[in-house]
PDB file of all heavy atoms in Angstrom:
ATOM      1  N   GLY A 277     -18.625  44.962   5.442  1.00  0.00           N
ATOM      2  CA  GLY A 277     -18.453  46.356   5.889  1.00  0.00           C
ATOM      3  C   GLY A 277     -17.877  47.199   4.763  1.00  0.00           C
ATOM      4  O   GLY A 277     -18.328  48.319   4.491  1.00  0.00           O
ATOM      5  N   MET A 279     -18.121  46.566   1.567  1.00  0.00           N
ATOM      6  CA  MET A 279     -19.102  46.738   0.495  1.00  0.00           C
ATOM      7  C   MET A 279     -20.135  47.810   0.853  1.00  0.00           C
ATOM      8  O   MET A 279     -20.515  48.633   0.020  1.00  0.00           O
ATOM      9  CB  MET A 279     -19.806  45.415   0.227  1.00  0.00           C
ATOM     10  CG  MET A 279     -20.834  45.529  -0.853  1.00  0.00           C
ATOM     11  SD  MET A 279     -21.353  43.925  -1.383  1.00  0.00           S
ATOM     12  CE  MET A 279     -22.923  43.839  -0.664  1.00  0.00           C
ATOM     13  N   ALA A 280     -20.587  47.789   2.103  1.00  0.00           N
ATOM     14  CA  ALA A 280     -21.563  48.793   2.542  1.00  0.00           C
ATOM     15  C   ALA A 280     -20.946  50.186   2.385  1.00  0.00           C
ATOM     16  O   ALA A 280     -21.598  51.130   1.939  1.00  0.00           O
ATOM     17  CB  ALA A 280     -21.954  48.537   3.992  1.00  0.00           C
ATOM     18  N   ASN A 281     -19.667  50.264   2.718  1.00  0.00           N
ATOM     19  CA  ASN A 281     -18.938  51.521   2.599  1.00  0.00           C
ATOM     20  C   ASN A 281     -18.923  52.015   1.145  1.00  0.00           C
ATOM     21  O   ASN A 281     -19.206  53.173   0.846  1.00  0.00           O
ATOM     22  CB  ASN A 281     -17.517  51.234   3.109  1.00  0.00           C
ATOM     23  CG  ASN A 281     -16.733  52.474   3.378  1.00  0.00           C
ATOM     24  OD1 ASN A 281     -16.240  53.072   2.446  1.00  0.00           O
ATOM     25  ND2 ASN A 281     -16.633  52.857   4.648  1.00  0.00           N
ATOM     26  N   VAL A 282     -18.614  51.077   0.225  1.00  0.00           N
ATOM     27  CA  VAL A 282     -18.561  51.441  -1.197  1.00  0.00           C
ATOM     28  C   VAL A 282     -19.939  51.914  -1.675  1.00  0.00           C
ATOM     29  O   VAL A 282     -20.074  52.880  -2.412  1.00  0.00           O
ATOM     30  CB  VAL A 282     -18.097  50.225  -2.044  1.00  0.00           C
ATOM     31  CG1 VAL A 282     -18.279  50.497  -3.543  1.00  0.00           C
ATOM     32  CG2 VAL A 282     -16.646  49.903  -1.728  1.00  0.00           C
ATOM     33  N   GLN A 283     -20.972  51.181  -1.205  1.00  0.00           N
ATOM     34  CA  GLN A 283     -22.324  51.531  -1.663  1.00  0.00           C
ATOM     35  C   GLN A 283     -22.927  52.701  -0.890  1.00  0.00           C
ATOM     36  O   GLN A 283     -24.019  53.159  -1.216  1.00  0.00           O
ATOM     37  CB  GLN A 283     -23.248  50.318  -1.522  1.00  0.00           C
ATOM     38  CG  GLN A 283     -22.847  49.157  -2.412  1.00  0.00           C
ATOM     39  CD  GLN A 283     -23.773  47.970  -2.267  1.00  0.00           C
ATOM     40  OE1 GLN A 283     -24.670  47.951  -1.414  1.00  0.00           O
ATOM     41  NE2 GLN A 283     -23.574  46.954  -3.092  1.00  0.00           N
ATOM     42  N   GLY A 284     -22.246  53.118   0.149  1.00  0.00           N
ATOM     43  CA  GLY A 284     -22.745  54.215   0.962  1.00  0.00           C
ATOM     44  C   GLY A 284     -24.012  53.869   1.722  1.00  0.00           C
ATOM     45  O   GLY A 284     -24.884  54.720   1.935  1.00  0.00           O
ATOM     46  N   VAL A 285     -24.142  52.598   2.133  1.00  0.00           N
ATOM     47  CA  VAL A 285     -25.318  52.199   2.927  1.00  0.00           C
ATOM     48  C   VAL A 285     -24.852  51.618   4.260  1.00  0.00           C
ATOM     49  O   VAL A 285     -23.657  51.392   4.462  1.00  0.00           O
ATOM     50  CB  VAL A 285     -26.185  51.141   2.185  1.00  0.00           C
ATOM     51  CG1 VAL A 285     -26.734  51.713   0.883  1.00  0.00           C
ATOM     52  CG2 VAL A 285     -25.375  49.878   1.921  1.00  0.00           C
ATOM     53  N   GLY A 286     -25.797  51.365   5.159  1.00  0.00           N
ATOM     54  CA  GLY A 286     -25.446  50.765   6.435  1.00  0.00           C
ATOM     55  C   GLY A 286     -25.184  49.272   6.249  1.00  0.00           C
ATOM     56  O   GLY A 286     -25.713  48.651   5.319  1.00  0.00           O
ATOM     57  N   VAL A 287     -24.375  48.692   7.162  1.00  0.00           N
ATOM     58  CA  VAL A 287     -24.049  47.263   7.024  1.00  0.00           C
ATOM     59  C   VAL A 287     -25.322  46.421   7.119  1.00  0.00           C
ATOM     60  O   VAL A 287     -25.461  45.393   6.440  1.00  0.00           O
ATOM     61  CB  VAL A 287     -23.033  46.834   8.106  1.00  0.00           C
ATOM     62  CG1 VAL A 287     -22.680  45.360   7.962  1.00  0.00           C
ATOM     63  CG2 VAL A 287     -21.792  47.677   8.045  1.00  0.00           C
ATOM     64  N   GLU A 288     -26.282  46.862   7.940  1.00  0.00           N
ATOM     65  CA  GLU A 288     -27.493  46.047   8.094  1.00  0.00           C
ATOM     66  C   GLU A 288     -28.236  45.870   6.766  1.00  0.00           C
ATOM     67  O   GLU A 288     -28.946  44.906   6.563  1.00  0.00           O
ATOM     68  CB  GLU A 288     -28.425  46.620   9.182  1.00  0.00           C
ATOM     69  CG  GLU A 288     -29.064  47.982   8.927  1.00  0.00           C
ATOM     70  CD  GLU A 288     -28.099  49.173   9.041  1.00  0.00           C
ATOM     71  OE1 GLU A 288     -26.949  48.982   9.467  1.00  0.00           O
ATOM     72  OE2 GLU A 288     -28.499  50.291   8.681  1.00  0.00           O
ATOM     73  N   GLU A 289     -27.994  46.785   5.828  1.00  0.00           N
ATOM     74  CA  GLU A 289     -28.687  46.653   4.542  1.00  0.00           C
ATOM     75  C   GLU A 289     -28.074  45.596   3.639  1.00  0.00           C
ATOM     76  O   GLU A 289     -28.723  45.114   2.713  1.00  0.00           O
ATOM     77  CB  GLU A 289     -28.714  48.001   3.823  1.00  0.00           C
ATOM     78  CG  GLU A 289     -29.790  48.890   4.400  1.00  0.00           C
ATOM     79  CD  GLU A 289     -29.863  50.223   3.694  1.00  0.00           C
ATOM     80  OE1 GLU A 289     -29.915  50.238   2.454  1.00  0.00           O
ATOM     81  OE2 GLU A 289     -29.858  51.228   4.410  1.00  0.00           O
ATOM     82  N   VAL A 290     -26.813  45.291   3.878  1.00  0.00           N
ATOM     83  CA  VAL A 290     -26.197  44.276   3.021  1.00  0.00           C
ATOM     84  C   VAL A 290     -25.999  42.948   3.752  1.00  0.00           C
ATOM     85  O   VAL A 290     -25.733  41.924   3.120  1.00  0.00           O
ATOM     86  CB  VAL A 290     -24.822  44.744   2.463  1.00  0.00           C
ATOM     87  CG1 VAL A 290     -25.001  45.962   1.567  1.00  0.00           C
ATOM     88  CG2 VAL A 290     -23.838  45.035   3.583  1.00  0.00           C
TER      89      VAL A 290
END
Side-chain angles (χ1 to χ4, degrees):
M279 179 167 106
N281 194 282
V282 170
Q283 296 180 354
V285 298
V287 181
E288 66 287 352
E289 281 181 50
V290 297

